Amino acid sequence: MSFRIAGAALVVVISLALAGCGGEGNDDGKKTIGLNAARGSDAAPKSSGSSEEPASSGAKLGEIKGPDGVVVTLTSAVRDKGGFVTVNGTVANRGSKPYTPLTWRSKETEMKSQSSVSGASLIDSAGKKRYLVLRDTDGECLCTTGLVNIRPGESRPVFAQFPAPPASVTDVDFQLPAMPSARIRISG
């Protein structure tokens, strides 16, 4: 139990330390998004450029097809210098009825937002480790929240921020509860 408290305290300290930091520039001159930009946003972080695309070229890294015509397309997984990985993508409802992904949330009872991707994880199969979505000091996930009533034909941006696996780990599986996983490559 004391390890859980110590771990939670460490996450709080790191979150507070990074909360005042902006994004850091990367080799291509774009900004990567840190904790402060992710908090309170219902949309995926954007690059500092004029494009509406996430920090990557917008190429598809992976795709997850779920029930009722729901498709999650992953477009970037960027490792930043602060020790985090931010995964960006979109969720599209290609079905015929509205969709609310309540199964994608974490099973934590303290979570404030019940309609989020807080249950997402990155799996390092070789290292046998699972990385969970980070939380802020208010108990919210550093991920997209407010995923309610996605109408047929509608597409919404999504993101989730995780602790970064070791630098040697570049390929991981992205998982959402009750959905198949997708193998993605981390850049940066």
Side-chain angles (χ1 to χ4, degrees), residues 83-103:
F84 305 100
V85 170
T86 303
V87 177
N88 291 292
T90 59
V91 57
N93 184 350
R94 297 180 184 160
S96 60
K97 59 184 179 181
Y99 184 76
T100 298
L102 294 176
T103 59

Side-chain angles (χ1 to χ4, degrees), residues 25-175:
N26 59 22
D27 292 343
D28 63 3
K30 294 181 180 177
K31 288 180 77 77
T32 53
I33 305 301
L35 291 175
N36 62 328
R39 173 67 186 107
S41 173
D42 287 343
K46 303 289 184 205
S47 70
S48 60
S50 60
S51 170
E52 287 297 308
E53 291 296 315
S56 78
S57 64
K60 180 169 66 170
L61 289 182
E63 185 173 80
I64 303 168
K65 293 182 179 182
D68 301 321
V70 172
V71 177
V72 177
T73 304
L74 303 171
T75 56
S76 70
V78 179
R79 182 188 313 265
D80 70 21
K81 294 176 184 169
F84 305 100
V85 170
T86 303
V87 177
N88 291 292
T90 59
V91 57
N93 184 350
R94 297 180 184 160
S96 60
K97 59 184 179 181
Y99 184 76
T100 298
L102 294 176
T103 59
W104 295 356
R105 67 182 180 218
S106 168
K107 294 192 184 314
E108 296 173 61
T109 57
E110 295 84 22
M111 287 295 296
K112 292 180 181 179
S113 177
Q114 296 300 308
S115 55
S116 67
V117 294
S118 61
S121 59
L122 295 180
I123 306 298
D124 169 11
S125 299
K128 298 182 177 161
K129 293 194 177 183
R130 176 183 300 264
Y131 298 88
L132 303 177
V133 175
L134 292 168
R135 307 296 190 253
D136 69 10
T137 56
D138 291 330
E140 278 294 340
C141 68
L142 296 176
C143 66
T144 301
T145 61
L147 288 174
V148 179
N149 196 31
I150 303 169
R151 296 181 305 273
E154 184 179 8
S155 178
R156 294 190 193 172
V158 292
F159 81 97
Q161 194 167 46
F162 304 89
S168 61
V169 176
T170 56
D171 293 328
V172 293
D173 291 317
F174 178 85
Q175 291 185 331

Side-chain angles (χ1 to χ4, degrees), residues 5-23:
I5 294 170
L10 180 59
V11 169
V12 169
V13 169
I14 290 171
S15 296
L16 289 174
L18 293 175
C21 299

